[in-house]
Amino acid sequence: MEYSLMLLVPAASFLALLFAGYLAAKVKSHDEGTPDMVAIAEAIREGARAYLKRQYTGVAIFFAVVLAIMVVLVVLEYIVVFVPLAFVTGGAFSALAGYIGMSIATASGARTANAAKSSLDAALQLAFSSGAVMGLAVVGLGLLDLSVWFYFLNWFYRDADLSTRITGIASTMLNFGLGASSVALFARVGGGIFTKAADVGADLVGKLEAGIPEDDPRNPAVIADNVGDNVGDVAGMGADLYESYVSSIVATSALAPAAGLSMEGIMAPMIVAAIGVLASVIGTFFVRSPKEAGQAGLSKALRKGVWTSSLLVALITFPLLTHLMPEHSTGVGIAVLSGLLGGVLIGTFTEWYTSPQYRWTRHLAETASTGPAPVLIQGLAVGFMSVAPIATVVAVVILVAFLASGGAGNYNLGLFGVGFAAVGMLSTLGITLATDAYGPVADNAGGIAEMTNQDPVVRERTDALDTLGNTTAATGKGFAIGSAALTAITLIAAYKEQVAILARKAGVSVDVTFSLLEPRVLVGVLLGSVLPFVFSAYIMQAVATSAQEIVVEVRRQFREIKGLMEGRAKPDYARCVDICTRVALKEMVTPTLVVVTVPVIVGLILNVQGVAGLLTGAVASGFMLAIAMSSAGGAWDNAKKHIEGGHHGGRGSGSHRAAVIGDTVGDPFKDTAGPSLNILIKLISMVSVVFAPFIIVNHLL
Amino acid sequence: MEYSLMLLVPAASFLALLFAGYLAAKVKSHDEGTPDMVAIAEAIREGARAYLKRQYTGVAIFFAVVLAIMVVLVVLEYIVVFVPLAFVTGGAFSALAGYIGMSIATASGARTANAAKSSLDAALQLAFSSGAVMGLAVVGLGLLDLSVWFYFLNWFYRDADLSTRITGIASTMLNFGLGASSVALFARVGGGIFTKAADVGADLVGKLEAGIPEDDPRNPAVIADNVGDNVGDVAGMGADLYESYVSSIVATSALAPAAGLSMEGIMAPMIVAAIGVLASVIGTFFVRSPKEAGQAGLSKALRKGVWTSSLLVALITFPLLTHLMPEHSTGVGIAVLSGLLGGVLIGTFTEWYTSPQYRWTRHLAETASTGPAPVLIQGLAVGFMSVAPIATVVAVVILVAFLASGGAGNYNLGLFGVGFAAVGMLSTLGITLATDAYGPVADNAGGIAEMTNQDPVVRERTDALDTLGNTTAATGKGFAIGSAALTAITLIAAYKEQVAILARKAGVSVDVTFSLLEPRVLVGVLLGSVLPFVFSAYIMQAVATSAQEIVVEVRRQFREIKGLMEGRAKPDYARCVDICTRVALKEMVTPTLVVVTVPVIVGLILNVQGVAGLLTGAVASGFMLAIAMSSAGGAWDNAKKHIEGGHHGGRGSGSHRAAVIGDTVGDPFKDTAGPSLNILIKLISMVSVVFAPFIIVNHLL
C-alpha cells in the first residue's frame, strides 16, 4: 500500500494554507487609501461581519437540532458516533472557508481601488491575490479536514481486517459532506437573498425612480449592496465550492470498495486533489500583468494561470496513478482528463451564451428595442437553449469516464471513474475559484471608487476589471453547476452502495436495482423533479419580498432625511444592512426545511427506491434549471452592459430601460436561485445517505 | 370472451358523431347577424381555412417522408405493414378532429355574438354547443378509429393462437398514436405560434403604441388574432387531445398481455372510454341556463355537466368491469376513479394558482405596483410553485392505481392500472373538451361584437363568457398536462414491453431493467431532461421572431394606409394572416425535427437503455415545465384582468402597464410552449416505440 503518497495530501493542504496566508499578508501590506476610502471599507467590513455573525448563529441552531437527532440515531445504533463528529467538522471548515474569503475580500476592496490609482496591473494583482487567498483557503481546508479524518480513522480501525477498515473509512468520510452542504446552503441561500435584496432594492429606487447612478453614496442601500457582494458572492461561493470539492472526493472514495479497490482507491481521489492544489499554487505565478491593453489582455492573463494548472494536473496524474493503481491508471487518468476538459468546455459554452462578444447576447440586446416583454421571452429562450450543450458535455464526460475506467466489465469501477471526473473537474479549484472570487473584489473596488469620487480613470480601470469579473463569474457558475451534477451522480451511486452495505448489516433484503419503471422509483423521479422548481420559487419570492422592504426603506430615507439628495446629509446605511440581514435569515428557513425533510419523508413512504428516484429527478431537473437560470441571468446582465456601451441607443434609451428590467429579473436567477440549486442536489443526497440506516427499516411501501 | 360489450365502442362512437352532427346543424340554424358580422366571420373563416390548408400540406409532406422511411423498414422486415397504415389513419383522424373543431368554431363566433343580443343564456348555449361538437367529434373519431382497427386486426389474426392474436392487436394499435401525435405537434406548435404571433404583435403596436383597444377593427392584425384563436386554441387543442385520448387507450391495451390478461384486457380501456362518451353526451343536457347571475352561475352551469358525466362514469364502470374482468374489477375500477378524481383535483389546484379569486394571483396583481421586474419574478414563482401540488396529485394517482390494481403482486398489472388511471382521467373528454373549446368561441364572439360596434351590453355578455372561458382553459390545460404525464408513463411501460417482445422475436438479449444507475439510462435521463428546455426555447423564440414581423407590418400599415386611424380606410387584414401563416409553418420545422430525430439518435448511440432514460427524463422535466409555464401564464393573464377590473389603479396605471408586460411574456408560455410540451413527451415515446425494432439491433453502446 502506497501510504507514502498519501502524505502529499496534508503537505498540499499546508502549502495551500501557508501560501494563502502569505498572499493575505501581502494584500494587507498595501495602503487602503484616503480616510474616506478607509471609512467606507470599514462600513462594508462591519456589515459583512455583522451579517455572517448572525448567519452563523442561525447555522449553529440548525446544527444543534440536527446533532440532537443524530445523537438519538447514535443511541438507537442506526449510525456510528463518527457521523455527528464528521458533520460538525465539515460544517465548521466550510463556515471557516466562507469567513476567510469574506475577510480577505472586504480587506481588498479599498486597496484595489487605491491600487487602481497607480495602474491597471497593480489593481489586477491585488484583486487576483485576494481571490487566490480564498481559492487556496478552500482547497487547503478541504484537504486538511480530509487528511485528519483519514489518518484518524485508519488508526482507529488499525486492528480490523482490511475490508472492514476500508468500508469504515469510506462510509464515515462520506457523511461529512452533510455538514459542509448544510453550511453551504445557508451561505448560498441566505447570502444570495441578502445580496439580491440589496442590489434589486437599491436599483429599483435609485436607478429607476431617483435617477441617480449605481453605487451613488446618496443611496441608503449602497453599502448593503457592497456587503452583499461579500457575503453572497464571496462567502456563499466559498462555502458552496468547499462543499463540492469535499463531496466529490469523499463520494468517489466511497465507491472504491464496491469497485473492488483497496486502500489505494480511497486515497487516490485525495492524492489527485493534492496534485491539483500544487498545480494551482504554481498556476497563480503565471497570472502576470497583461502586455495587451483591454479585456482581451486581462482575460488572457487569468486564463494563462488556469490553463497552466490544468496542464500540470494532466501531466502529473498519469505517472502518479500508474504508481498508485497500475491496473486502472489509464482508465482513471482518462476520467480525470475528461473532467478537466469538460470543465473548460462548460466554461466556453457558458461564455458563448452570455458574453456580448457572441451572437446570443448581442441578439438579446437588439431585441430590447421592441420593449421589455420580448427581452424577457428571448432571454429565457437563451437560458433554456444553453442547457443543451452544457448538459451534453456532462453526459459525454459521464460516458467517457465510465467506459474508460472499465465500466463495461466492472460497473462499479465505471461509477468510480465518473466520480473521478468530478474530482478532475474540481482539481484546479484553487485557481479557478481565485479567478471567480476576484470579481466581487473588483466590483467593490468600483463601488468604493465611485462613492469617494475618485478620478474617472480609477473607475475606468476598476470597471475593466469588473467586466472581466462578470465573465469569470459566468464561467465559474457553469463550472460549479457541471461539477455539482457530476458529484450528485457520484453521490447517488454512493447512496446505492451505502444502502447495499447497510442492508447486509441489518439483515434486511433491499432491492437496489432502482428500475425506472418501478412505481416507487418513478414517483420518486417525478417528486424529485418538482423540488428544484419549488425551491427556486421560494427563493425568487424571498428576493422579491425582501427587495420590497428595501424599496420601502430607501424611499423613506429619501423622503425623511433632509438634504440627502443634495449630498448635505448622510443616509442611514446600517439600517438597510440590518433589514437585509433580517429578511435573508428569515427567508432561508423554509427552503432549508424543505430540502432537509423531503428526502426523509419520501424515504419513510417510498423506501430507498423512492429516495433514489427523488435524487435522480432532482439532479435532472435541478441541473437544467440551474444552467437555464444562470445563463439567462448572465445574458440579460451583459445585454444591458452592451447597450450601456453605446449600442441600440445606449443609456437612458427605451432599449436600456427594457434591458434593465431583464437584468433585474435575471439577478435572483443567476446569483441566488441558480447557484442554490447546485447545493440542493447535493444536500438531498447527503441527507439521504445519513438517514439511510433509519429508512431501510422504517418505511411504508 | 365478452366480445358483445365491445359493441359499445362503435355504438358510442356513432352516437357521439351523430349527436355532434345534430348540434352542429342546430348551431348553424341560428342567424349570423348583420351583414358586417357575416363579413367579419367570413374573413376569419377564410383565414383559418387558408392556414389549415397550408398546415396540412406541410403535415402531408412530413407524413410522406416518414412513410417512405417506414416502407423501407417494412421491406427490411423491421416493422409490419400495419404500422404505416395505422400511422396514416391516426394522423388523418387527428387532422379531421382539428378541422371539424375549427369549422364549427368559426361558424359559431358571429352567431354567439348575435345570440348575445337577446340574452346571456342564448349565447352560452350556442357557444357551449359549438364546444360540444368539437368534444364529441374528437372522442367519436377516436373510438371509430380504434374500433375499426380492433375488428380488422381481430379478423386478420383469426387463425392465430390467442397469445399471438393479442400481442398482434396490441402492438399494432400502439403504433397508431404516432400519426395522431405528429399531427398534434404540428397543430399545437404551428397553431400556437400563429395565434401568439398575431396576438402579441397586435397588442405590442395596437395597445401599447397606438393606444387603441383590443379587437379594434383599425388594427390590421385583428383578424389574424381571431383566426389564431381558431387554429391554435381550437384546432390545435382538438388534435392534441385526440392524440392524448387515443394514446392513453392504446398504451393501456398494449400492457394487457404482459399483465397476464387476455382479450378482455385489450378491450377494457376502449369500453370504459365508450362509457365515458355516453356519459359525456348525457352530461351536455345538464348544462342549463344559469339561474344565478354572473360568473358563479355560469361556472356552475358548466361544472354541473362535467360532474354529472364523471359521476355516471364512476357508477357504470364498476358493474361493467365486474362483468368484463371479474378478478380485477375492483382494482382497475379504483384506478379509473383515481384518474377521474385526479383530473378534478388538478383542475382545482390550477384554478387556485391562476384565478384572481385566490391569493396567488391577487398577490401577483399587487406586486405590479412596484413595476414589471417584480411582476415577472413573482409570476415565475407562482408558476414554479404550482408544480408541487399538481405533480403530487399525479404521483398519488400513479401509486394508488398501481397498488389498487395489484401491482405489489403483479408488477405489469399495476402498470396496466396506471394506464387505466389515464383512461379514467380522459374518459369524460367529450364534455370537458366542450367546456374548454367554448372559450375561444366566446373570445371570437367578443371580438366580432367589438369590431361591428354592437351595443355595450352585447360585449358585456360575451366578456362574461370569455372570462369564464379563461378559467376553463386553465383547468383544461392542467387536465391536458396531467393526462399527458400519465399517458407518457404508460407509454414508457408499453415501450419496455415492446422491446422485450421484439428482443424475443429477434433473438437478441436486451436488458430491460432500466436501472437508474446504468450510465446509459442515467445519461438518457439527463438528455431527456434537456429536451423540454430546448423545445420551449425554440418555440418562445419563434413567437418572439414572428411577433416581430407582425409588429413591422402593422406599423407599416398604420403609416402607409391613409385615413386608417380615422376609420376612413380599411387595413389589409389578409396580409397579416399571410405573414402569420408563413412564419408559423417555417418556425415549426426545427422543433419537429428535434423531437422526431433525438429519440432515434439517442437510441442509435445508447441503445434502448438510453431511450428509456430519455423518455423518463423528458416526462419528468417536461411535465414540470409545462405546468410551470401554463400556471405562470394564466396567473399573469388574470392578474392583468384583475387590475383591469379596477384594482391597484386600474387600466392605464403603472400597475396595468407592468401587468401587460407579464401577460405578454405569459402568452407564449401558456398557449404555445406549455401545451406543446404535452405532445413532446408523448410523441418521443411514440417515435421510440416505432423505431424500437431497428434500434435493438443497431446501436453503438
Side-chain angles (χ1 to χ4, degrees):
Chain A
M1 210 79 54
E2 287 297 344
Y3 277 108
S4 58
L5 273 176
M6 184 64 201
L7 285 173
L8 270 175
V9 183
S13 160
F14 290 132
L15 176 71
L17 292 174
L18 282 176
F19 193 59
Y22 159 75
L23 286 176
K26 214 179 79 176
V27 166
K28 289 204 175 167
S29 74
H30 284 78
D31 189 17
E32 256 200 319
T34 57
D36 53 344
M37 288 168 88
V38 176
I40 287 181
E42 191 50 44
I44 296 173
R45 261 195 295 277
E46 214 174 85
R49 266 193 227 116
Y51 172 72
L52 276 196
K53 203 175 142 193
R54 284 175 64 178
Q55 176 176 292
Y56 287 165
T57 314
V59 171
I61 296 172
F62 174 81
F63 266 63
V65 174
V66 176
L67 263 184
I69 298 173
M70 282 185 171
V71 169
V72 174
L73 290 177
V74 170
V75 172
L76 295 174
E77 293 190 3
Y78 280 117
I79 56 179
V80 294
V81 71
F82 297 138
V83 175
L85 284 178
F87 171 67
V88 171
T89 60
F93 276 92
S94 173
L96 186 57
Y99 187 80
I100 292 175
M102 185 279 289
S103 301
I104 187 70
T106 53
S108 314
R111 291 184 168 89
T112 302
N114 196 44
K117 285 186 196 168
S118 53
S119 79
L120 180 63
D121 180 39
L124 170 70
Q125 287 297 337
L126 225 154
F128 178 74
S129 294
S130 159
V133 171
M134 153 118 149
L136 294 171
V138 164
V139 296
L141 290 174
L143 292 188
L144 182 63
D145 197 7
L146 289 168
S147 39
V148 168
W149 271 100
F150 175 81
Y151 282 112
F152 168 73
L153 290 168
N154 197 34
W155 167 83
F156 182 85
Y157 286 110
R158 65 196 177 283
D159 298 328
D161 60 284
L162 189 63
S163 141
T164 314
R165 193 178 352 159
I166 294 171
T167 348
I169 296 176
S171 305
T172 309
M173 288 181 70
L174 181 58
N175 282 301
F176 84 33
L178 182 65
S181 298
S182 305
V183 170
L185 186 76
F186 279 94
R188 262 295 194 201
V189 175
I193 293 174
F194 187 115
T195 181
K196 288 304 128 180
D199 190 5
V200 173
D203 285 0
L204 280 179
V205 187
K207 272 203 250 179
L208 296 177
E209 289 184 16
I212 56 178
E214 199 161 335
D215 292 328
D216 190 291
R218 288 170 292 176
N219 194 329
V222 74
I223 293 283
D225 187 6
N226 281 292
V227 169
D229 290 343
N230 291 297
V231 300
D233 300 350
V234 178
M237 186 170 54
D240 177 2
L241 284 166
Y242 175 88
E243 185 263 348
S244 277
Y245 189 68
V246 168
S247 296
S248 69
I249 295 171
V250 296
T252 309
S253 292
L255 289 171
L261 297 166
S262 183
M263 200 57 92
E264 78 281 6
I266 297 200
M267 296 186 302
M270 290 186 262
I271 295 172
V272 169
I275 298 301
V277 170
L278 301 177
S280 296
V281 171
I282 298 172
T284 59
F285 291 101
F286 285 79
V287 178
R288 279 279 146 258
S289 37
K291 296 274 175 318
E292 303 165 46
Q295 289 297 116
L298 282 174
S299 165
K300 213 168 159 184
L302 292 183
R303 213 179 291 144
K304 209 167 152 194
V306 175
W307 286 9
T308 307
S309 306
S310 302
L311 196 68
L312 282 174
V313 172
L315 287 178
I316 307 176
T317 297
F318 278 94
L320 189 116
L321 285 174
T322 312
H323 190 65
L324 194 67
M325 39 201 305
E327 263 182 86
H328 308 296
S329 63
T330 316
V332 171
I334 292 175
V336 171
L337 272 191
S338 73
L340 267 174
L341 198 66
V344 173
L345 282 176
I346 290 171
T348 312
F349 279 120
T350 312
E351 217 180 315
W352 191 49
Y353 281 98
T354 60
S355 158
Q357 290 182 284
Y358 302 101
R359 73 179 177 89
W360 291 96
T361 299
R362 276 170 186 265
H363 178 60
L364 181 59
E366 209 182 293
T367 318
S369 67
T370 44
V375 170
L376 286 153
I377 296 176
Q378 182 63 29
L380 286 170
V382 171
F384 281 19
M385 207 66 100
S386 74
V387 166
I390 296 177
T392 307
V393 167
V394 171
V396 172
V397 167
I398 292 172
L399 281 179
V400 168
F402 181 85
L403 294 173
S405 51
N410 178 345
Y411 171 75
N412 285 309
L413 195 59
L415 290 176
F416 180 71
V418 174
F420 249 108
V423 173
M425 196 180 278
L426 288 166
S427 61
T428 54
L429 184 66
I431 190 157
T432 48
L433 189 52
T435 64
D436 199 350
Y438 120 103
V441 173
D443 192 354
N444 257 306
I448 293 170
E450 180 78 29
M451 282 186 269
T452 54
N453 298 310
Q454 299 297 319
D455 196 87
V457 73
V458 175
R459 180 77 208 214
E460 245 166 57
R461 285 176 187 151
T462 58
D463 269 358
L465 294 178
D466 187 20
T467 306
L468 175 63
N470 276 325
T471 308
T472 58
T475 56
K477 252 164 228 155
F479 181 87
I481 295 171
S483 62
L486 284 177
T487 304
I489 286 166
T490 317
L491 282 170
I492 303 176
Y495 175 72
K496 187 195 134 181
E497 271 323 302
Q498 286 300 300
V499 168
I501 293 170
L502 292 164
R504 267 199 304 278
K505 255 195 222 162
V508 254
S509 116
V510 176
D511 172 20
V512 290
T513 322
F514 300 152
S515 162
L516 266 191
L517 281 166
E518 219 273 51
R520 288 174 298 182
V521 176
L522 188 64
V523 164
V525 171
L526 283 183
L527 296 176
S529 309
V530 171
L531 263 190
F533 283 89
V534 174
F535 186 75
S536 14
Y538 265 117
I539 290 178
M540 285 192 287
Q541 272 200 305
V543 171
T545 313
S546 41
Q548 211 52 43
E549 290 203 37
I550 292 294
V551 166
V552 171
E553 172 62 18
V554 173
R555 280 183 189 157
R556 186 194 66 79
Q557 293 200 19
F558 275 147
R559 204 175 48 236
E560 295 181 4
I561 302 180
K562 303 273 174 248
L564 176 57
M565 285 304 279
E566 296 76 32
R568 285 181 290 110
K570 283 217 146 204
D572 184 356
Y573 298 129
R575 184 93 191 233
C576 288
V577 174
D578 251 20
I579 294 178
C580 286
T581 305
R582 192 171 42 72
V583 291
L585 294 175
K586 199 185 77 186
E587 297 287 349
M588 92 193 162
V589 175
T590 315
T592 309
L593 284 181
V594 169
V595 174
V596 176
T597 54
V598 166
V600 179
I601 294 171
V602 168
L604 286 173
I605 300 172
L606 300 174
N607 202 349
V608 293
Q609 285 80 11
V611 175
L614 182 85
L615 301 182
T616 312
V619 173
S621 93
F623 179 38
M624 306 310 150
L625 211 52
I627 300 171
M629 290 184 138
S630 296
S631 302
W636 275 318
D637 193 347
N638 281 332
K640 185 197 69 177
K641 286 225 164 65
H642 186 63
I643 291 173
E644 286 173 351
H647 303 86
H648 311 295
R651 273 181 203 273
S653 64
S655 298
H656 188 234
R657 272 192 302 279
V660 167
I661 294 175
D663 182 36
T664 312
V665 174
D667 265 342
F669 266 43
K670 72 178 197 311
D671 292 324
T672 318
S676 301
L677 289 174
N678 301 348
I679 303 169
L680 166 79
I681 62 179
K682 288 170 294 175
L683 181 53
I684 57 168
S685 313
M686 283 297 176
V687 173
S688 306
V689 166
V690 170
F691 284 90
F694 183 69
I695 296 301
I696 53 173
V697 287
N698 296 290
H699 51 81
L700 187 66
L701 297 178
Chain B
M1 212 76 56
E2 286 296 346
Y3 277 108
S4 59
L5 275 176
M6 182 65 200
L7 284 173
L8 271 173
V9 183
S13 159
F14 291 133
L15 177 72
L17 292 174
L18 282 175
F19 192 61
Y22 159 75
L23 287 176
K26 214 179 79 177
V27 165
K28 290 208 174 162
S29 75
H30 285 78
D31 190 16
E32 259 202 316
T34 57
D36 51 345
M37 289 170 85
V38 177
I40 286 180
E42 191 51 43
I44 296 173
R45 262 195 294 275
E46 214 173 85
R49 264 193 228 115
Y51 172 71
L52 277 196
K53 203 177 142 192
R54 281 174 65 177
Q55 176 174 295
Y56 288 165
T57 313
V59 172
I61 296 171
F62 173 81
F63 266 63
V65 173
V66 177
L67 263 183
I69 298 172
M70 283 186 170
V71 169
V72 173
L73 291 176
V74 169
V75 172
L76 296 173
E77 292 189 4
Y78 281 117
I79 56 178
V80 294
V81 70
F82 296 138
V83 175
L85 285 177
F87 171 68
V88 171
T89 62
F93 276 93
S94 174
L96 186 57
Y99 187 80
I100 292 175
M102 184 279 290
S103 301
I104 188 70
T106 53
S108 313
R111 290 182 167 92
T112 303
N114 197 44
K117 285 185 195 169
S118 51
S119 80
L120 180 61
D121 180 41
L124 170 69
Q125 288 296 335
L126 225 154
F128 178 74
S129 294
S130 158
V133 171
M134 154 121 147
L136 294 171
V138 163
V139 296
L141 290 175
L143 292 188
L144 182 63
D145 197 7
L146 289 168
S147 39
V148 168
W149 273 101
F150 175 81
Y151 282 112
F152 167 74
L153 290 168
N154 196 32
W155 167 82
F156 181 85
Y157 286 111
R158 65 198 175 280
D159 298 328
D161 62 285
L162 189 61
S163 142
T164 315
R165 195 177 354 157
I166 293 171
T167 346
I169 296 177
S171 308
T172 309
M173 287 180 71
L174 181 59
N175 282 300
F176 84 35
L178 182 66
S181 297
S182 306
V183 170
L185 185 76
F186 279 94
R188 263 295 195 201
V189 176
I193 294 174
F194 186 117
T195 182
K196 289 303 129 180
D199 191 3
V200 174
D203 285 359
L204 281 179
V205 188
K207 272 203 249 180
L208 296 176
E209 290 183 14
I212 56 176
E214 199 163 334
D215 292 329
D216 191 292
R218 289 171 292 176
N219 192 327
V222 74
I223 294 282
D225 187 6
N226 281 291
V227 169
D229 290 343
N230 292 297
V231 300
D233 301 350
V234 178
M237 184 170 55
D240 177 2
L241 285 165
Y242 175 89
E243 185 263 349
S244 278
Y245 190 68
V246 167
S247 296
S248 69
I249 296 170
V250 296
T252 310
S253 291
L255 289 171
L261 298 166
S262 180
M263 200 56 92
E264 79 280 5
I266 298 204
M267 296 187 302
M270 289 186 262
I271 295 172
V272 169
I275 299 300
V277 170
L278 300 175
S280 297
V281 171
I282 297 171
T284 59
F285 290 101
F286 285 78
V287 179
R288 279 281 144 255
S289 37
K291 295 274 176 317
E292 303 165 46
Q295 289 295 115
L298 281 175
S299 166
K300 213 167 159 185
L302 292 184
R303 213 180 292 146
K304 209 168 151 193
V306 175
W307 287 9
T308 307
S309 305
S310 303
L311 196 68
L312 283 174
V313 171
L315 288 177
I316 307 175
T317 297
F318 279 93
L320 189 118
L321 285 173
T322 314
H323 190 65
L324 192 68
M325 38 202 303
E327 265 182 86
H328 309 294
S329 64
T330 316
V332 172
I334 292 175
V336 171
L337 271 191
S338 72
L340 267 174
L341 198 66
V344 173
L345 282 176
I346 290 172
T348 311
F349 280 120
T350 312
E351 217 180 315
W352 192 49
Y353 282 97
T354 59
S355 159
Q357 290 182 283
Y358 301 101
R359 73 178 175 91
W360 290 97
T361 299
R362 275 171 186 266
H363 177 59
L364 182 59
E366 211 180 293
T367 318
S369 67
T370 43
V375 170
L376 285 153
I377 296 176
Q378 182 63 28
L380 286 169
V382 171
F384 280 19
M385 208 63 104
S386 75
V387 166
I390 297 177
T392 307
V393 167
V394 171
V396 172
V397 168
I398 292 172
L399 282 178
V400 168
F402 181 85
L403 294 172
S405 50
N410 178 345
Y411 171 74
N412 285 308
L413 194 59
L415 290 175
F416 180 71
V418 174
F420 249 108
V423 173
M425 195 179 278
L426 288 166
S427 61
T428 55
L429 184 67
I431 190 156
T432 48
L433 189 52
T435 65
D436 199 350
Y438 121 103
V441 172
D443 192 354
N444 257 304
I448 294 170
E450 180 79 31
M451 282 187 270
T452 55
N453 298 310
Q454 298 297 317
D455 196 87
V457 73
V458 174
R459 181 76 209 217
E460 246 166 56
R461 286 176 186 151
T462 57
D463 269 357
L465 294 178
D466 187 18
T467 306
L468 175 62
N470 276 325
T471 308
T472 58
T475 55
K477 252 164 229 156
F479 182 87
I481 294 170
S483 61
L486 285 177
T487 304
I489 286 165
T490 317
L491 282 171
I492 303 176
Y495 174 73
K496 186 194 136 183
E497 271 321 303
Q498 286 300 302
V499 168
I501 294 169
L502 291 165
R504 271 199 301 278
K505 254 195 223 160
V508 255
S509 116
V510 176
D511 172 21
V512 290
T513 322
F514 300 151
S515 163
L516 267 191
L517 281 166
E518 219 273 48
R520 288 174 299 184
V521 177
L522 188 64
V523 164
V525 171
L526 284 183
L527 295 176
S529 308
V530 171
L531 263 190
F533 283 89
V534 173
F535 186 74
S536 14
Y538 265 118
I539 290 178
M540 286 192 287
Q541 272 200 304
V543 172
T545 314
S546 43
Q548 212 49 43
E549 290 203 38
I550 292 294
V551 166
V552 172
E553 172 62 17
V554 173
R555 279 183 189 157
R556 186 194 66 79
Q557 293 199 21
F558 275 146
R559 203 175 49 236
E560 294 181 4
I561 302 180
K562 302 275 175 245
L564 177 57
M565 284 305 281
E566 297 75 33
R568 285 181 289 108
K570 285 218 145 202
D572 185 355
Y573 298 129
R575 183 94 191 234
C576 288
V577 173
D578 251 21
I579 293 176
C580 287
T581 305
R582 192 172 40 72
V583 292
L585 294 175
K586 198 185 76 187
E587 298 287 348
M588 91 194 162
V589 175
T590 315
T592 310
L593 283 181
V594 168
V595 175
V596 176
T597 53
V598 166
V600 179
I601 294 170
V602 168
L604 286 173
I605 299 172
L606 300 174
N607 202 351
V608 295
Q609 283 81 9
V611 175
L614 182 84
L615 301 181
T616 311
V619 173
S621 92
F623 178 38
M624 306 311 151
L625 210 53
I627 300 171
M629 290 185 136
S630 296
S631 301
W636 276 318
D637 192 348
N638 281 331
K640 185 198 68 177
K641 285 225 165 67
H642 186 65
I643 291 173
E644 287 173 352
H647 303 86
H648 311 294
R651 274 181 203 273
S653 63
S655 299
H656 188 233
R657 272 192 301 278
V660 167
I661 293 174
D663 182 37
T664 312
V665 174
D667 265 342
F669 266 43
K670 72 178 197 312
D671 292 324
T672 317
S676 301
L677 289 174
N678 301 347
I679 303 169
L680 166 79
I681 62 180
K682 289 169 293 174
L683 181 53
I684 57 167
S685 314
M686 283 296 175
V687 173
S688 305
V689 166
V690 170
F691 284 91
F694 182 68
I695 296 301
I696 52 174
V697 287
N698 296 291
H699 50 80
L700 186 67
L701 296 178

